[in-house]
Amino acid sequence: MKKKSIMIQGTGSSVGKSLLCTALCRIFTQDGYRVNPFKSQNMSNNSYITAEGHEMGRAQVMQAEAAGKAPRAVMNPILLKPTSDHRSQVVIRGKVFDTKDAIEYYEFKPRLKSMVQEIYDDLANESDIVVIEGAGSPAEINLKQDDIVNMGMAKMAQAPVLLAGDIDRGGVFASLAGTLLLLDEDEKKLVKGVIVNKFRGSLDILQPGLEMLEDIIHLPVLGVVPYFHLNLEDEDSVTDWDKFRSNQQGEIDIAVIKLPHISNFTDFNVLKLHEDVHLRFVGLEDDLGRPDVIMLPGTKSTVADMEMLWKSGMAKKIQDSHEKGSIVFGICGGYQILGREILDPDHVESSLDGIKGLDLLDIVTSFRGEKTTVLSEGEDQIFHAHVKGYEIHMGETVLLEGTSPLVQLTPTSEGSPQSYDGAVNGDQTVFGTYFHGVFDSSAFTREFLNRVRNARNLAPLPNKVQDYWQYKDEQYDKLADVVRESLDMDQIYRIVEAGLDG
């Protein structure tokens, strides 16, 4: 089978496109095919760094992992990272290209079509099947001109389309039929079937509705996928924060500050695997309480979020909570926020020359024009566990006297000078690192949690959790089992084989 493809589009955002594509990547791979994922344009601050130092959306990273492939930026050649309600950083082929407002990007987008076509063709030539993900809805009639991510992409790839709808939020029959109603006739011909996703209830009761829907849209319902609970990373831009709540009876209360420009919040997925953790996300206006640990996540706009922490009063709450015994841990932008100050003399991030940080770590961060994008690993200097992750940040951080680094980095080549990452204060109650994925190392995480337990006079627990990269691989198999059982895979294979001729 050569140069075959299948595309999942949805009736809207967060209907499950990303996970359905992930499942298909795993299923096709299990069945012996060479599979690659593809999404021409993603909008998300939840990004990842490839081995080449390129930036891409995490949804396609997950799909690549499910297909047993190393993530590459060609799987997501355009990434839009919102910096405000109206502007986004534009990442092309894994590198920052520009920052544009919505109108500027809309006018610029047609110039990207030939690049998308070229990249897709190259990816298809090395694949048996390409699993393509759409974005939002193909029925956004004001955006259909020059589309490169939904029906426009399907036409470029000559890919048959499966349309997915979310029954959990209600109105799935209307959303599926309505989406098809708003498609042009040539677009309707691309759609070969529909999928009902996130179902809870009795299939016997649902079945008459499925039959009536097929009579209305003249397309087959290819399956009903149940609502399931697997610990997989969130979709691109729409987040159900309640999904991150874990074990409200957990002995360790961890509060993650929900920064206005929060990014890479999937860093905390793994904490749900530890039985003694109660994980919760806290908005700037919410009551912080007295958590055992305060986590400051990554952010796309460190200076702006630091300013909002001060204005909202959350900065003072964090400082007071630390004074009363809370341990504080910052990752990437959250690490920068922990310092004495954040300097931006060249106005890389904002119109401010700088802003005072939380002053919980004796560090100073200065922004420069270059973004650091690299995979890193090393040994932490507190618990002596091996950690690995990826760095994606603007700014350089300098440790002042009396502050120790957190991680001793593994040299990148023989004879290269020793280097370090992150910082920890003298009494080891404030930690910071640029490593996204630091908690994926179960040894490091268990030792850190046991340090918290010790501060609360609780006995340490043994490490019963896998490293997260091993755990995720098992989750992909479980996802594939659920979706394979729910979909008519024989019919889907016939659709893939026939392409647009079917």
Side-chain angles (χ1 to χ4, degrees):
M1 187 183 291
K2 297 292 184 183
K3 300 185 71 169
K4 302 295 185 181
S5 59
I6 190 78
M7 186 171 192
I8 301 291
Q9 297 186 24
T11 58
S13 295
S14 199
V15 301
K17 297 185 294 292
S18 294
L19 286 183
L20 288 172
C21 286
T22 303
L24 290 178
C25 283
R26 191 62 153 200
I27 291 168
F28 293 147
T29 301
Q30 289 173 336
D31 292 348
Y33 296 102
R34 297 179 305 160
V35 182
N36 279 299
F38 186 80
K39 184 171 184 176
S40 58
Q41 175 186 291
N42 220 334
M43 176 173 279
S44 177
N45 275 329
N46 217 22
S47 59
Y48 176 84
I49 297 303
T50 70
E52 298 80 16
H54 295 159
E55 192 171 357
M56 63 183 289
R58 286 201 67 91
Q60 280 60 62
V61 172
M62 186 166 63
Q63 291 157 14
E65 291 172 346
K69 298 292 176 62
R72 292 181 292 154
V74 292
M75 299 168 178
N76 173 213
I78 305 167
L79 176 63
L80 306 179
K81 304 189 72 176
T83 58
S84 69
D85 289 343
H86 305 289
R87 294 181 66 80
S88 292
Q89 186 181 78
V90 182
V91 179
I92 298 177
R93 293 180 182 264
K95 294 294 184 182
V96 175
F97 174 76
D98 200 359
T99 298
K100 295 182 179 292
D101 64 30
I103 293 176
E104 289 172 336
Y105 181 71
Y106 187 75
E107 293 173 347
F108 171 73
K109 186 173 65 171
R111 295 165 52 187
L112 298 172
K113 187 172 183 177
S114 60
M115 179 200 73
V116 169
Q117 181 76 70
E118 177 186 349
I119 290 174
Y120 173 80
D121 287 344
D122 287 344
L123 195 65
N125 283 332
E126 63 180 67
S127 311
D128 296 324
I129 306 174
V130 181
V131 178
I132 309 171
E133 182 183 345
S137 163
E140 305 292 352
I141 55 179
N142 58 315
L143 300 176
K144 289 172 68 171
Q145 182 179 356
D146 299 317
D147 171 65
I148 57 173
V149 69
N150 284 312
M151 289 303 175
M153 185 64 235
K155 292 175 183 177
M156 282 191 275
Q158 291 293 287
V161 174
L162 308 183
L163 182 65
D166 177 1
I167 195 171
D168 187 54
R169 64 178 60 187
V172 71
F173 298 132
S175 60
L176 287 166
T179 297
L180 290 161
L181 177 67
L182 290 174
L183 298 181
D184 298 335
E185 288 304 315
D186 63 330
E187 295 171 335
K188 290 178 185 177
K189 293 177 181 178
L190 303 178
V191 183
K192 303 302 180 182
V194 301
I195 297 170
V196 175
N197 199 22
K198 305 184 186 181
F199 177 67
R200 319 182 202 221
S202 168
L203 275 173
D204 290 339
I205 296 174
L206 181 65
Q207 188 58 42
L210 301 179
E211 294 170 1
M212 287 185 278
L213 177 65
E214 289 180 331
D215 288 341
I216 293 167
I217 64 176
H218 306 296
L219 288 169
V221 176
L222 296 170
V224 177
V225 180
Y227 199 103
F228 54 82
H229 296 281
L230 293 172
N231 191 20
L232 291 166
E233 295 174 351
D234 209 5
E235 293 182 72
D236 305 335
S237 57
V238 180
T239 303
D240 176 6
W241 296 104
D242 285 339
K243 287 174 60 175
F244 284 89
R245 289 188 177 275
S246 68
N247 187 16
Q248 296 197 23
Q249 305 307 312
E251 295 169 298
I252 299 177
D253 178 22
I254 297 182
V256 182
I257 305 301
K258 194 165 61 176
L259 299 171
H261 300 93
I262 188 171
S263 67
N264 294 77
F265 45 82
T266 49
D267 284 333
F268 308 106
N269 262 24
V270 65
L271 295 176
K272 295 188 293 184
L273 304 183
H274 293 268
E275 61 186 8
D276 55 339
V277 169
H278 170 214
L279 186 69
R280 57 190 174 96
F281 276 72
V282 179
L284 297 192
E285 306 298 333
D286 295 341
D287 179 28
L288 177 60
R290 279 286 311 281
D292 299 304
V293 182
I294 299 170
M295 296 283 185
L296 284 160
T299 165
K300 189 66 189 68
S301 298
T302 308
V303 175
D305 282 358
M306 186 70 252
E307 188 174 22
M308 288 304 299
L309 283 168
W310 287 120
K311 287 182 177 179
S312 67
M314 180 56 76
K316 186 68 166 58
K317 293 178 187 177
I318 295 170
Q319 291 172 327
D320 290 346
S321 189
H322 175 252
E323 280 288 319
K324 294 173 183 176
S326 296
I327 292 174
V328 185
F329 199 118
I331 298 177
C332 198
Y335 167 40
Q336 296 170 341
I337 283 170
L338 293 174
R340 288 186 182 180
E341 57 183 336
I342 304 161
L343 304 177
D344 192 9
D346 300 329
H347 300 160
V348 173
E349 266 209 1
S350 74
S351 59
L352 299 177
D353 293 331
I355 192 168
K356 181 182 177 184
L358 291 177
D359 201 19
L360 298 180
L361 279 175
D362 284 334
I363 61 173
V364 173
T365 297
S366 299
F367 282 113
R368 296 290 182 259
E370 287 297 313
K371 177 185 279 192
T372 298
T373 56
V374 65
L375 295 179
S376 299
E377 61 181 303
E379 181 179 282
D380 88 87
Q381 301 297 282
I382 308 301
F383 312 118
H384 304 291
H386 183 76
V387 294
K388 62 181 182 178
Y390 59 96
E391 299 180 47
I392 174 172
H393 59 90
M394 307 291 282
E396 298 177 358
T397 298
V398 176
L399 278 60
L400 305 180
E401 186 175 352
T403 302
S404 302
L406 180 61
V407 179
Q408 179 176 307
L409 299 177
T410 302
T412 54
S413 60
E414 187 175 349
S416 61
Q418 185 61 63
S419 55
Y420 298 87
D421 167 78
V424 60
N425 68 343
D427 61 5
Q428 298 179 6
T429 60
V430 183
F431 299 77
T433 179
Y434 276 121
F435 274 34
H436 291 292
V438 66
F439 294 118
D440 290 0
S441 166
S442 64
F444 172 83
T445 304
R446 186 69 261 163
E447 290 293 338
F448 172 75
L449 293 175
N450 281 342
R451 173 65 58 88
V452 179
R453 293 181 67 86
N454 181 65
R456 288 196 52 201
N457 296 315
L458 297 170
L461 295 181
N463 184 20
K464 299 178 181 178
V465 175
Q466 294 173 291
D467 289 328
Y468 195 47
W469 45 88
Q470 296 173 329
Y471 172 83
K472 282 195 298 182
D473 204 55
E474 293 182 359
Q475 294 291 290
Y476 295 143
D477 282 335
K478 291 178 180 179
L479 173 65
D481 289 345
V482 170
V483 174
R484 188 191 288 271
E485 184 177 328
S486 304
L487 299 184
D488 184 345
M489 287 305 304
D490 289 340
Q491 178 67 1
I492 288 175
Y493 270 116
R494 286 192 289 271
I495 291 169
V496 172
E497 182 62 41
L500 296 185
D501 297 326

